[in-house]
Coordinates of all heavy atoms in Angstrom, one line a residue:
D1 N 89.3 93.6 80.7 CA 89.0 94.4 81.8 C 89.0 93.4 83.1 O 88.1 92.6 83.3 CB 87.5 94.9 81.7 CG 87.0 95.7 82.9 OD1 87.9 95.9 83.9 OD2 85.8 96.0 83.1
P2 N 90.0 93.6 83.9 CA 90.2 92.7 85.1 C 89.0 92.7 86.1 O 88.8 91.8 86.8 CB 91.5 93.0 85.7 CG 91.9 94.3 85.1 CD 91.2 94.5 83.8
S3 N 88.3 93.9 86.2 CA 87.2 93.9 87.0 C 85.9 93.3 86.6 O 85.0 93.1 87.2 CB 86.9 95.3 87.4 OG 86.4 96.0 86.2
S4 N 86.0 92.8 85.3 CA 84.8 92.2 84.8 C 84.5 90.8 85.4 O 85.4 90.1 85.8 CB 85.1 91.9 83.2 OG 84.1 91.0 82.7
A5 N 83.3 90.4 85.5 CA 82.9 89.1 86.1 C 82.5 88.1 84.9 O 81.9 87.2 85.2 CB 81.8 89.3 87.0
D6 N 83.0 88.4 83.7 CA 82.6 87.6 82.6 C 83.2 86.2 82.9 O 84.2 86.0 83.3 CB 83.2 88.0 81.3 CG 82.6 89.3 80.8 OD1 81.5 89.6 81.3 OD2 83.2 90.0 79.9
S7 N 82.3 85.3 82.6 CA 82.8 83.8 82.6 C 83.5 83.3 81.5 O 83.7 84.0 80.5 CB 81.5 82.9 82.8 OG 80.8 83.0 81.5
L8 N 84.2 82.2 81.7 CA 85.0 81.7 80.5 C 84.1 81.5 79.4 O 84.6 81.7 78.2 CB 85.6 80.3 81.1 CG 86.4 79.6 80.0 CD1 87.6 80.4 79.5 CD2 86.9 78.3 80.5
H9 N 82.9 81.1 79.6 CA 81.9 80.8 78.4 C 81.7 82.2 77.7 O 81.7 82.2 76.5 CB 80.7 80.2 78.8 CG 80.9 78.7 79.4 ND1 81.1 77.8 78.5 CD2 80.9 78.3 80.6 CE1 81.1 76.6 79.2 NE2 81.0 76.9 80.5
E10 N 81.5 83.3 78.5 CA 81.2 84.5 77.8 C 82.4 85.1 77.1 O 82.2 85.5 76.0 CB 80.7 85.5 78.9 CG 79.4 85.2 79.6 CD 79.2 86.0 80.8 OE1 80.0 86.2 81.6 OE2 77.9 86.2 81.0
I11 N 83.6 84.9 77.7 CA 84.9 85.3 77.0 C 85.0 84.5 75.7 O 85.3 85.1 74.7 CB 86.0 85.3 77.9 CG1 85.8 86.2 79.1 CG2 87.3 85.7 77.1 CD1 86.8 86.0 80.2
A12 N 84.8 83.3 75.8 CA 85.0 82.4 74.6 C 84.0 82.7 73.5 O 84.4 82.8 72.4 CB 84.8 80.8 75.0
R13 N 82.8 83.0 74.0 CA 81.8 83.4 73.0 C 82.3 84.6 72.3 O 82.1 84.9 71.1 CB 80.4 83.5 73.6 CG 79.3 83.8 72.6 CD 77.9 83.8 73.2 NE 78.1 83.9 74.7 CZ 77.5 83.3 75.6 NH1 76.5 82.5 75.3 NH2 77.6 83.5 77.0
A14 N 82.7 85.7 73.0 CA 83.1 86.9 72.5 C 84.3 86.9 71.4 O 84.4 87.7 70.5 CB 83.5 87.9 73.6
V15 N 85.2 85.8 71.6 CA 86.3 85.7 70.6 C 86.0 84.4 69.7 O 87.0 83.9 69.0 CB 87.6 85.5 71.4 CG1 87.9 86.8 72.2 CG2 87.6 84.3 72.2
A16 N 84.8 84.0 69.7 CA 84.4 83.0 68.7 C 85.2 81.6 68.9 O 85.8 81.1 67.9 CB 84.5 83.4 67.3
S17 N 85.2 81.2 70.2 CA 86.1 80.0 70.5 C 85.2 79.2 71.4 O 84.2 79.7 72.0 CB 87.3 80.4 71.2 OG 88.0 79.4 71.6
S18 N 85.6 77.9 71.6 CA 85.1 77.1 72.6 C 85.7 77.4 74.0 O 86.9 77.8 74.0 CB 85.1 75.6 72.3 OG 86.4 75.1 72.5
P19 N 85.1 77.2 75.1 CA 85.7 77.5 76.3 C 86.9 76.6 76.6 O 88.0 77.2 77.1 CB 84.6 77.2 77.4 CG 83.3 77.4 76.7 CD 83.6 77.1 75.2
F20 N 86.8 75.4 76.2 CA 88.0 74.5 76.4 C 89.2 75.0 75.5 O 90.3 75.1 76.0 CB 87.5 73.1 75.9 CG 88.7 72.0 75.9 CD1 89.2 71.6 77.1 CD2 89.4 71.8 74.7 CE1 90.4 70.7 77.2 CE2 90.6 70.9 74.7 CZ 91.0 70.4 75.9
H21 N 88.8 75.4 74.2 CA 90.0 75.7 73.4 C 90.5 77.0 73.9 O 91.9 77.2 73.9 CB 89.5 75.9 72.0 CG 90.5 76.3 71.0 ND1 91.5 75.4 70.5 CD2 90.8 77.4 70.3 CE1 92.3 76.0 69.7 NE2 91.9 77.3 69.5
L22 N 89.8 78.0 74.2 CA 90.3 79.3 74.7 C 91.1 79.0 76.0 O 92.3 79.6 76.1 CB 89.0 80.2 75.2 CG 89.6 81.5 75.9 CD1 90.4 82.4 75.0 CD2 88.2 82.3 76.3
A23 N 90.7 78.3 77.0 CA 91.5 78.0 78.2 C 92.8 77.3 77.9 O 93.8 77.7 78.5 CB 90.7 77.1 79.2
R24 N 92.8 76.3 77.0 CA 94.0 75.7 76.7 C 95.0 76.6 76.0 O 96.2 76.6 76.3 CB 93.7 74.4 75.8 CG 94.9 73.5 75.7 CD 94.6 72.4 74.7 NE 94.1 73.2 73.4 CZ 93.7 72.5 72.5 NH1 93.7 71.2 72.4 NH2 93.4 73.2 71.4
R25 N 94.5 77.3 75.1 CA 95.4 78.2 74.2 C 95.9 79.4 75.1 O 97.0 79.9 74.9 CB 94.6 78.7 73.0 CG 94.4 77.8 71.9 CD 95.5 77.1 71.4 NE 96.3 78.3 70.7 CZ 97.1 78.2 69.7 NH1 97.4 77.1 69.2 NH2 97.7 79.3 69.2
F26 N 95.0 79.9 75.9 CA 95.5 81.0 76.8 C 96.6 80.5 77.7 O 97.6 81.2 77.9 CB 94.2 81.6 77.7 CG 94.6 82.8 78.4 CD1 94.3 84.0 77.8 CD2 95.2 82.7 79.7 CE1 94.6 85.2 78.4 CE2 95.5 83.8 80.3 CZ 95.2 85.2 79.6
K27 N 96.4 79.4 78.4 CA 97.5 78.8 79.2 C 98.8 78.6 78.4 O 99.9 78.8 78.9 CB 97.0 77.6 80.0 CG 98.0 77.2 81.0 CD 97.4 76.3 81.9 CE 98.4 76.1 83.2 NZ 97.8 75.3 84.2
Q28 N 98.7 78.0 77.2 CA 99.8 77.8 76.4 C 100.6 79.1 76.1 O 101.8 79.1 76.1 CB 99.5 77.1 75.0 CG 99.2 75.8 75.2 CD 98.7 75.2 73.8 OE1 98.3 75.9 72.8 NE2 98.5 73.8 73.7
A29 N 99.9 80.2 75.8 CA 100.4 81.5 75.4 C 101.0 82.2 76.6 O 101.9 82.9 76.4 CB 99.3 82.2 74.7
N30 N 100.4 82.0 77.7 CA 100.7 82.9 78.9 C 101.3 82.3 80.1 O 101.7 82.8 81.0 CB 99.4 83.7 79.3 CG 98.9 84.7 78.2 OD1 99.6 85.6 78.0 ND2 97.8 84.3 77.7
G31 N 101.3 80.9 80.0 CA 101.9 80.1 81.1 C 101.0 80.1 82.3 O 101.5 79.6 83.4
I32 N 99.9 80.7 82.3 CA 98.9 80.7 83.4 C 97.5 80.8 82.9 O 97.1 81.2 81.9 CB 99.1 82.1 84.3 CG1 98.3 82.1 85.6 CG2 99.0 83.2 83.5 CD1 98.8 83.2 86.6
G33 N 96.7 80.1 83.7 CA 95.1 80.1 83.4 C 94.6 81.5 83.4 O 95.1 82.4 83.9
L34 N 93.4 81.6 82.7 CA 92.7 82.9 82.5 C 92.4 83.5 84.0 O 92.5 84.6 84.2 CB 91.5 82.7 81.8 CG 90.7 83.9 81.3 CD1 91.7 84.8 80.6 CD2 89.6 83.5 80.3
H35 N 91.9 82.6 84.9 CA 91.5 83.1 86.2 C 92.7 83.6 86.9 O 92.6 84.7 87.5 CB 90.8 82.0 87.1 CG 90.5 82.3 88.4 ND1 89.4 83.1 88.7 CD2 91.1 82.0 89.5 CE1 89.4 83.4 90.0 NE2 90.4 82.6 90.6
G36 N 93.8 82.9 87.0 CA 95.0 83.3 87.6 C 95.5 84.6 87.0 O 96.0 85.5 87.7
Y37 N 95.4 84.7 85.7 CA 95.9 86.0 85.1 C 95.0 87.1 85.4 O 95.6 88.2 85.8 CB 95.8 85.7 83.5 CG 96.3 86.9 82.7 CD1 97.7 87.2 82.5 CD2 95.4 87.8 82.1 CE1 98.2 88.1 81.7 CE2 95.9 88.9 81.3 CZ 97.3 88.9 81.2 OH 97.8 90.0 80.4
R38 N 93.7 86.9 85.5 CA 92.9 88.0 85.9 C 93.1 88.4 87.4 O 93.2 89.6 87.7 CB 91.3 87.6 85.7 CG 90.4 88.7 86.2 CD 88.9 88.4 86.0 NE 88.7 87.3 85.1 CZ 87.4 87.2 84.6 NH1 86.3 88.0 85.0 NH2 87.1 86.1 83.8
T39 N 93.3 87.5 88.2 CA 93.7 87.7 89.5 C 95.0 88.5 89.7 O 95.1 89.4 90.5 CB 93.8 86.4 90.4 OG1 92.5 85.8 90.4 CG2 94.1 86.7 91.8
R40 N 96.0 88.1 88.9 CA 97.3 88.9 89.0 C 97.1 90.3 88.6 O 97.6 91.3 89.1 CB 98.4 88.3 88.0 CG 99.0 87.0 88.6 CD 100.1 86.5 87.8 NE 100.6 85.4 88.4 CZ 101.7 84.7 87.9 NH1 102.2 85.2 86.7 NH2 102.2 83.7 88.5
L41 N 96.3 90.5 87.5 CA 96.0 91.9 87.0 C 95.4 92.6 88.2 O 95.7 93.9 88.5 CB 95.1 91.9 85.8 CG 95.8 91.4 84.5 CD1 94.8 91.5 83.4 CD2 96.9 92.5 84.2
R42 N 94.3 92.1 88.7 CA 93.6 92.7 89.9 C 94.5 93.2 91.1 O 94.4 94.1 91.6 CB 92.4 91.8 90.4 CG 91.3 91.7 89.5 CD 90.2 90.8 90.0 NE 89.1 90.8 89.2 CZ 88.0 89.9 89.2 NH1 88.1 89.1 90.4 NH2 87.0 90.1 88.5
M43 N 95.4 92.2 91.3 CA 96.5 92.5 92.4 C 97.4 93.6 92.0 O 97.7 94.5 92.9 CB 97.1 91.2 92.8 CG 96.3 90.1 93.5 SD 95.6 90.6 95.1 CE 94.0 91.1 94.7
A44 N 97.8 93.6 90.8 CA 98.7 94.7 90.4 C 97.9 96.0 90.4 O 98.5 97.0 90.9 CB 99.1 94.5 88.9
L45 N 96.7 96.1 90.0 CA 95.8 97.2 90.1 C 95.7 97.7 91.6 O 95.7 98.9 91.9 CB 94.5 97.2 89.4 CG 94.6 97.1 87.9 CD1 93.3 96.6 87.3 CD2 95.0 98.4 87.3
A46 N 95.5 96.7 92.4 CA 95.2 97.1 93.8 C 96.6 97.7 94.4 O 96.4 98.7 95.2 CB 94.9 95.7 94.5
L47 N 97.8 97.1 94.2 CA 98.9 97.7 94.6 C 99.1 99.1 94.1 O 99.6 99.9 95.0 CB 100.2 96.8 94.2 CG 100.5 95.6 95.0 CD1 101.8 94.9 94.5 CD2 100.7 95.9 96.4
A48 N 98.8 99.4 92.9 CA 99.1 100.7 92.4 C 98.1 101.6 93.0 O 98.5 102.8 93.4 CB 98.7 100.7 90.8
R49 N 96.9 101.3 93.3 CA 95.9 102.2 93.9 C 96.2 102.3 95.5 O 96.2 103.4 95.9 CB 94.5 101.7 93.7 CG 94.1 101.9 92.4 CD 92.6 101.8 92.0 NE 91.7 102.3 92.8 CZ 90.4 102.1 92.8 NH1 89.9 101.2 91.8 NH2 89.5 102.6 93.7
L50 N 96.7 101.4 96.0 CA 97.2 101.4 97.4 C 98.3 102.4 97.5 O 98.5 103.1 98.5 CB 97.4 100.0 98.1 CG 96.2 99.2 98.3 CD1 96.6 97.7 98.7 CD2 95.3 99.8 99.4
G51 N 99.4 102.2 96.5 CA 100.5 103.1 96.6 C 100.1 104.5 96.3 O 100.8 105.4 96.7
D52 N 98.9 104.8 95.7 CA 98.5 106.2 95.5 C 97.7 106.7 96.6 O 97.2 107.8 96.6 CB 97.6 106.3 94.2 CG 98.5 106.0 92.9 OD1 99.6 106.2 93.0 OD2 97.8 105.7 91.8
G53 N 97.6 105.8 97.6 CA 96.9 106.2 98.9 C 95.4 105.9 98.9 O 94.7 106.5 99.8
E54 N 95.0 104.9 98.2 CA 93.6 104.6 98.3 C 93.1 104.3 99.7 O 93.8 103.5 100.4 CB 93.3 103.2 97.4 CG 91.9 102.9 97.4 CD 90.9 103.7 96.7 OE1 91.1 104.1 95.6 OE2 89.8 104.1 97.4
E55 N 92.1 104.9 100.1 CA 91.5 104.9 101.5 C 90.4 103.8 101.6 O 90.2 103.1 102.6 CB 91.1 106.2 102.0 CG 92.2 107.2 102.1 CD 93.0 107.1 103.4 OE1 92.4 106.6 104.4 OE2 94.1 107.5 103.4
D56 N 89.5 103.8 100.6 CA 88.2 103.1 100.7 C 88.5 101.6 100.1 O 88.5 101.4 99.0 CB 87.2 103.7 99.9 CG 85.9 103.0 99.8 OD1 85.7 102.0 100.7 OD2 85.1 103.4 99.1
L57 N 88.8 100.7 101.0 CA 89.2 99.3 100.7 C 87.9 98.5 100.1 O 88.0 97.8 99.2 CB 89.8 98.6 101.9 CG 91.2 99.1 102.4 CD1 91.7 98.3 103.5 CD2 92.1 99.2 101.2
T58 N 86.7 98.9 100.6 CA 85.6 98.3 100.1 C 85.3 98.7 98.7 O 85.0 97.9 97.8 CB 84.3 98.5 101.0 OG1 84.6 98.0 102.3 CG2 83.2 97.9 100.4
G59 N 85.4 100.0 98.5 CA 85.3 100.6 97.2 C 86.4 100.0 96.2 O 86.0 99.6 95.1
L60 N 87.6 99.9 96.7 CA 88.6 99.2 95.8 C 88.2 97.8 95.5 O 88.4 97.4 94.2 CB 89.9 99.3 96.6 CG 91.1 98.7 95.9 CD1 91.4 99.2 94.6 CD2 92.4 98.7 96.7
A61 N 87.8 97.0 96.4 CA 87.4 95.6 96.2 C 86.3 95.5 95.1 O 86.5 94.8 94.2 CB 86.9 95.0 97.5
L62 N 85.3 96.3 95.3 CA 84.2 96.3 94.4 C 84.6 96.9 93.0 O 84.3 96.3 91.9 CB 83.0 97.1 94.8 CG 82.4 96.6 96.1 CD1 81.4 97.6 96.6 CD2 81.9 95.4 96.0
D63 N 85.6 97.9 92.9 CA 86.0 98.4 91.6 C 86.8 97.3 90.8 O 86.8 97.2 89.6 CB 86.9 99.6 91.8 CG 86.1 100.8 92.2 OD1 84.9 100.9 92.1 OD2 86.9 101.8 92.5
L64 N 87.5 96.5 91.6 CA 88.4 95.4 91.0 C 87.6 94.2 90.7 O 88.2 93.2 90.1 CB 89.6 95.0 91.9 CG 90.6 96.3 92.1 CD1 91.6 95.8 93.1 CD2 91.1 96.6 90.7
G65 N 86.3 94.1 90.9 CA 85.4 93.0 90.6 C 85.3 92.0 91.7 O 84.7 90.9 91.4
Y66 N 85.6 92.2 92.9 CA 85.5 91.3 94.0 C 84.1 91.5 94.6 O 83.5 92.7 94.6 CB 86.5 91.4 95.2 CG 87.9 91.0 94.7 CD1 88.8 91.9 94.1 CD2 88.2 89.6 94.6 CE1 90.0 91.3 93.5 CE2 89.3 89.1 94.2 CZ 90.3 89.9 93.6 OH 91.5 89.5 93.1
S67 N 83.5 90.4 95.1 CA 82.1 90.5 95.6 C 82.1 91.2 97.0 O 81.0 91.6 97.3 CB 81.6 89.1 95.6 OG 82.3 88.3 96.6
S68 N 83.2 91.3 97.6 CA 83.2 91.8 99.1 C 84.6 92.2 99.5 O 85.6 91.7 98.9 CB 82.7 90.8 100.1 OG 83.6 89.6 100.2
H69 N 84.6 93.0 100.5 CA 86.0 93.4 101.0 C 86.6 92.2 101.6 O 87.9 92.1 101.4 CB 85.6 94.4 102.2 CG 86.9 94.9 102.9 ND1 87.4 94.1 104.0 CD2 87.6 95.9 102.9 CE1 88.5 94.7 104.4 NE2 88.6 95.8 103.8
S70 N 86.0 91.3 102.1 CA 86.6 90.2 102.8 C 87.2 89.2 101.7 O 88.3 88.7 101.9 CB 85.7 89.3 103.7 OG 84.6 88.8 103.0
H71 N 86.6 89.1 100.7 CA 87.1 88.2 99.6 C 88.4 88.8 99.0 O 89.4 88.3 98.7 CB 86.0 88.1 98.4 CG 86.4 87.2 97.3 ND1 85.9 87.2 96.1 CD2 87.4 86.1 97.1 CE1 86.5 86.5 95.2 NE2 87.4 85.7 95.9
F72 N 88.3 90.2 98.7 CA 89.5 90.9 98.3 C 90.6 90.8 99.2 O 91.8 90.5 98.8 CB 89.2 92.4 98.0 CG 90.3 93.4 97.9 CD1 91.1 93.1 96.7 CD2 90.5 94.2 98.9 CE1 92.2 93.9 96.5 CE2 91.6 95.0 98.7 CZ 92.5 95.0 97.6
T73 N 90.3 91.0 100.5 CA 91.4 91.0 101.5 C 92.2 89.6 101.6 O 93.3 89.4 101.7 CB 90.8 91.3 102.8 OG1 90.4 92.7 102.8 CG2 91.9 91.2 104.0
A74 N 91.3 88.5 101.5 CA 91.8 87.1 101.6 C 92.7 86.9 100.3 O 93.7 86.3 100.5 CB 90.7 86.1 101.7
T75 N 92.2 87.3 99.2 CA 93.1 87.2 98.0 C 94.3 87.9 98.1 O 95.5 87.4 97.7 CB 92.2 87.5 96.7 OG1 91.0 86.7 96.6 CG2 93.1 87.2 95.4
F76 N 94.3 89.1 98.5 CA 95.4 90.1 98.6 C 96.4 89.5 99.6 O 97.5 89.3 99.3 CB 94.9 91.4 99.1 CG 96.0 92.5 99.0 CD1 96.2 93.3 97.9 CD2 97.0 92.6 100.0 CE1 97.1 94.2 97.8 CE2 98.0 93.6 99.9 CZ 98.0 94.4 98.8
R77 N 95.8 88.9 100.7 CA 96.8 88.3 101.7 C 97.5 87.1 101.2 O 98.7 86.8 101.5 CB 95.9 88.0 103.0 CG 96.8 87.7 104.3 CD 96.0 87.2 105.4 NE 95.2 88.3 105.9 CZ 95.5 89.3 106.7 NH1 96.7 89.4 107.1 NH2 94.8 90.2 107.1
S78 N 96.7 86.2 100.5 CA 97.3 85.0 99.9 C 98.5 85.4 98.9 O 99.4 84.6 98.8 CB 96.3 84.1 99.3 OG 95.7 84.6 98.1
H79 N 98.3 86.5 98.2 CA 99.3 86.9 97.2 C 100.5 87.5 97.8 O 101.7 87.3 97.3 CB 98.7 87.7 96.1 CG 98.1 86.9 95.0 ND1 96.8 86.3 95.2 CD2 98.5 86.6 93.8 CE1 96.6 85.6 94.1 NE2 97.5 85.8 93.2
F80 N 100.3 88.4 98.8 CA 101.3 89.2 99.3 C 101.7 89.0 100.7 O 102.7 89.6 101.2 CB 100.9 90.8 99.0 CG 100.6 91.1 97.6 CD1 99.4 91.5 97.3 CD2 101.7 91.1 96.7 CE1 99.2 91.8 95.9 CE2 101.5 91.4 95.3 CZ 100.2 91.8 95.0
G81 N 101.0 88.2 101.4 CA 101.3 87.9 102.8 C 101.1 89.0 103.8 O 101.6 89.0 104.9
A82 N 100.3 90.0 103.3 CA 99.9 91.1 104.2 C 98.5 91.7 103.8 O 98.0 91.3 102.7 CB 100.9 92.3 104.1
S83 N 97.8 92.3 104.7 CA 96.6 92.9 104.4 C 96.7 94.1 103.6 O 97.7 94.7 103.5 CB 95.8 93.2 105.7 OG 96.4 94.3 106.3
P84 N 95.6 94.4 102.8 CA 95.6 95.7 102.0 C 96.1 96.9 102.8 O 96.8 97.8 102.4 CB 94.4 95.8 101.4 CG 93.9 94.4 101.3 CD 94.4 93.7 102.6
S85 N 95.5 97.0 104.0 CA 95.8 98.2 104.8 C 97.2 98.2 105.3 O 97.9 99.3 105.3 CB 94.8 98.3 106.1 OG 94.9 97.1 106.9
N86 N 97.8 97.0 105.7 CA 99.3 96.9 105.9 C 100.1 97.4 104.8 O 101.0 98.1 104.9 CB 99.6 95.6 106.5 CG 99.1 95.4 107.9 OD1 98.6 96.2 108.5 ND2 99.1 94.1 108.3
A87 N 99.7 96.9 103.5 CA 100.5 97.1 102.4 C 100.5 98.6 102.1 O 101.4 99.2 101.7 CB 100.0 96.4 101.2
R88 N 99.2 99.2 102.2 CA 99.1 100.7 102.0 C 100.1 101.5 102.9 O 100.7 102.4 102.5 CB 97.6 101.1 102.2 CG 97.4 102.6 102.0 CD 96.0 103.0 102.3 NE 95.6 102.5 103.6 CZ 94.3 102.2 103.9 NH1 93.4 102.2 103.0 NH2 94.0 101.7 105.0
T89 N 100.2 101.0 104.2 CA 101.0 101.8 105.1 C 102.5 101.7 104.7 O 103.2 102.7 104.7 CB 100.9 101.2 106.5 OG1 99.5 101.3 106.9 CG2 101.8 101.9 107.6
V90 N 102.9 100.4 104.3 CA 104.3 100.2 103.8 C 104.6 101.0 102.6 O 105.7 101.6 102.5 CB 104.6 98.7 103.6 CG1 105.8 98.5 102.9 CG2 104.6 97.9 105.0
L91 N 103.7 100.9 101.6 CA 103.8 101.7 100.4 C 103.8 103.2 100.7 O 104.7 103.9 100.0 CB 102.7 101.5 99.4 CG 102.7 100.0 98.9 CD1 101.4 99.6 98.2 CD2 103.9 99.8 97.9
A92 N 103.0 103.7 101.6 CA 103.2 105.2 101.9 C 104.4 105.5 102.5 O 105.0 106.6 102.3 CB 101.9 105.5 102.8
S93 N 104.9 104.7 103.4 CA 106.2 104.9 104.0 C 107.4 104.9 103.1 O 108.2 105.7 103.1 CB 106.5 103.9 105.1 OG 105.7 103.8 106.0
S94 N 107.4 103.9 102.1 CA 108.4 103.9 101.1 C 108.4 105.0 100.1 O 109.4 105.6 99.7 CB 108.4 102.6 100.4 OG 107.2 102.4 99.6
A95 N 107.2 105.6 99.8 CA 107.0 106.7 98.9 C 107.7 108.0 99.6 O 108.1 108.8 98.9 CB 105.5 107.0 98.7
R96 N 107.6 108.0 100.9 CA 108.2 109.3 101.6 C 109.7 109.3 101.5 O 110.3 110.3 101.6 CB 107.9 109.3 103.0 CG 106.4 109.9 103.3 CD 106.1 109.8 104.8 NE 105.1 108.9 105.0 CZ 104.9 108.2 106.0 NH1 105.5 108.4 107.1 NH2 104.0 107.2 106.2
F97 N 110.3 108.1 101.2 CA 111.8 108.0 101.2 C 112.3 108.1 99.8 O 113.5 108.1 99.7 CB 112.3 106.7 101.8 CG 112.1 106.8 103.3 CD1 111.1 105.9 103.9 CD2 112.8 107.5 104.2 CE1 110.8 106.0 105.3 CE2 112.5 107.5 105.5 CZ 111.6 106.8 106.1
R98 N 111.5 108.3 98.8 CA 112.0 108.4 97.4 C 112.3 109.7 97.1 O 112.1 110.8 97.5 CB 110.8 108.0 96.5 CG 110.6 106.6 96.5 CD 109.6 106.2 95.4 NE 108.7 105.1 96.0 CZ 107.6 104.7 95.4 NH1 107.0 105.3 94.5 NH2 107.0 103.6 96.0

């Protein structure tokens, strides 16, 4: 669940592993750390919901597990180079041309 705030220790305990072993094996298997993977999943979900016309950015941020609208927006901007509201506008425009 990408919106979960479970820590590495909690996830490791759930799969009967040490945090170090889980982190190392996860990165070996996926080429990216657990935190980066969770962030990518959250960003993919954000794009999908923005493409569907999501209006409430604060609600979206909280649904995806971010502590605030500003934290979500900063993460989104660092990944995509645009704010969520700008991305929503572009996605809505491209949907009209399909």
Side-chain angles (χ1 to χ4, degrees):
D1 179 12
S3 66
S4 168
D6 291 342
S7 69
L8 178 61
H9 291 287
E10 292 167 327
I11 297 169
R13 187 177 16 223
V15 297
S17 177
S18 74
F20 174 78
H21 183 72
L22 173 63
R24 190 184 58 180
R25 294 292 302 206
F26 190 91
K27 189 165 187 172
Q28 284 175 345
N30 297 289
I32 187 171
L34 192 56
H35 176 74
Y37 184 79
R38 185 183 330 202
T39 300
R40 282 188 182 183
L41 286 175
R42 287 175 173 177
M43 292 296 100
L45 291 170
L47 278 179
R49 288 190 45 190
L50 291 169
D52 290 340
E54 177 69 52
E55 297 275 335
D56 180 11
L57 295 180
T58 300
L60 175 59
L62 297 175
D63 286 351
L64 294 176
Y66 289 94
S67 58
S68 66
H69 176 279
S70 62
H71 183 207
F72 166 66
T73 298
T75 303
F76 192 95
R77 188 182 303 274
S78 74
H79 275 76
F80 300 116
S83 70
S85 58
N86 286 346
R88 179 181 54 214
T89 301
V90 170
L91 291 168
S93 295
S94 66
R96 280 184 251 152
F97 292 108
R98 288 186 213 163

